[in-house]
Amino acid sequence: MPNPQLRDLTTAIVSEWRDGMRKVKKDSSVRRDMELLRSVIEVARTEWKWISANPVSEVKKPRKPPNRTRTISPEEVKTILGKLGYSEEGEIATKRQEAALCLLIALETGMRASEILRAKIEGKIAHLDKTKNGDARDVPLSKRARELYERVPNGFTVSSATLDASFRWARDNSGMHGFTFHDSRATACTRSAKVVDVLTLARILGHRDIRSLQIYYRETAESIADRL
């Protein structure tokens, strides 16, 4: 039985919604929202027969932005750590110092900020009960990563929101720009690609499809040329 409200959904309505969302969201976010809406309505069309056609499929999504190429340089990392009051000696006593520690762990492991905060450390493994794709995952920890986690034996107290705010504060107040905390994942991927094979790297980062590594592998052509 067709759903009367869903049946009234047209391409014109979807287009108007898309244009309104583009005023308050980035195109990449609007693309994701449209794909989610398309998937939901497709289920209603194919399985529940609530609608005869999927109007979202006929509406053009915003152009996909080019893949990022940015990584975080050692000099930028050093500046961020200094601004957050981080030191290799002494206790981790402030939220900002925890944020700095998270950055170092991210650069070492390629984990996302939220994953770093909720990971359960089990020997040489960081166990994640649930990841972005919905699966559990075990992340192998290098000796350096284990040492970093040992600096917070009772776990992190900083929240994801505070971590992000602290990172942006340190970056902006140091006169730097062009990179985000999430670029640490790409930085870790690019570094690790020099020492492990592609399949191992995909497993470390939790990618089911190794093609996803292209998003995070950002070594420059000049750097590659230096190794040839």
Side-chain angles (χ1 to χ4, degrees):
M1 177 70 69
N3 182 293
Q5 292 180 322
L6 191 57
R7 187 178 55 194
D8 293 337
L9 186 65
T10 64
T11 55
I13 293 174
V14 175
S15 296
E16 183 178 0
W17 169 78
R18 175 204 60 195
D19 294 342
M21 293 299 290
R22 293 186 72 183
K23 295 178 182 179
V24 296
K25 283 189 173 185
K26 295 181 179 179
D27 280 355
S28 57
S29 297
V30 177
R31 281 181 60 90
R32 287 193 296 270
D33 290 347
M34 289 185 69
E35 184 56 34
L36 176 60
L37 181 60
R38 187 203 64 78
S39 298
V40 170
I41 293 179
E42 192 63 15
V43 172
R45 183 186 72 83
T46 59
E47 296 187 23
W48 304 333
K49 310 301 181 184
W50 284 0
I51 191 170
S52 59
N54 190 337
V56 183
S57 298
E58 301 176 17
V59 175
K60 187 176 181 179
K61 291 182 289 189
R63 181 178 298 177
K64 185 178 180 179
N67 289 334
R68 290 179 60 79
T69 59
R70 192 68 155 84
T71 57
I72 309 176
S73 72
E75 293 75 19
E76 289 167 333
V77 172
K78 183 177 179 180
T79 300
I80 290 286
L81 297 180
K83 198 69 176 179
L84 293 173
Y86 179 84
S87 171
E88 290 291 337
E89 306 295 332
E91 296 182 359
I92 302 296
T94 68
K95 303 289 188 185
R96 286 181 177 176
Q97 288 173 338
E98 286 192 22
L101 186 62
C102 285
L103 174 61
L104 290 175
I105 293 174
L107 291 167
E108 191 68 23
T109 66
M111 285 195 289
R112 301 175 178 88
S114 60
E115 294 174 341
I116 293 170
L117 295 179
R118 69 172 186 271
K120 298 176 182 178
I121 308 306
E122 302 171 354
K124 297 180 180 180
I125 299 298
H127 177 72
L128 302 170
D129 290 331
K130 189 176 183 180
T131 59
K132 185 177 180 180
N133 61 23
D135 296 335
R137 179 166 118 247
D138 287 332
V139 181
L141 299 177
S142 65
K143 180 180 178 181
R144 170 63 171 164
R146 297 196 299 271
E147 290 173 347
L148 291 170
Y149 263 113
E150 286 171 0
R151 302 204 66 188
V152 282
N154 297 317
F156 287 100
T157 63
V158 66
S159 67
S160 293
T162 300
L163 189 163
D164 181 64
S166 296
F167 177 86
R168 287 187 286 104
W169 172 85
R171 179 198 61 196
D172 297 345
N173 282 275
S174 297
M176 298 184 294
H177 56 84
F179 61 93
T180 66
F181 187 96
H182 195 63
D183 286 327
S184 62
R185 183 166 166 84
T187 305
C189 174
T190 304
R191 292 177 181 174
S192 297
K194 298 176 182 179
V195 295
V196 300
D197 61 84
V198 172
L199 291 177
T200 300
L201 186 56
R203 182 169 183 177
I204 291 172
L205 295 182
H207 288 157
R208 295 173 177 172
D209 187 342
I210 61 175
R211 289 177 297 180
S212 300
L213 290 176
Q214 290 289 348
I215 298 174
Y216 293 101
Y217 178 65
R218 300 176 184 175
E219 187 171 8
T220 65
E222 182 178 5
S223 177
I224 294 173
D226 288 340
R227 297 193 285 115
L228 295 177

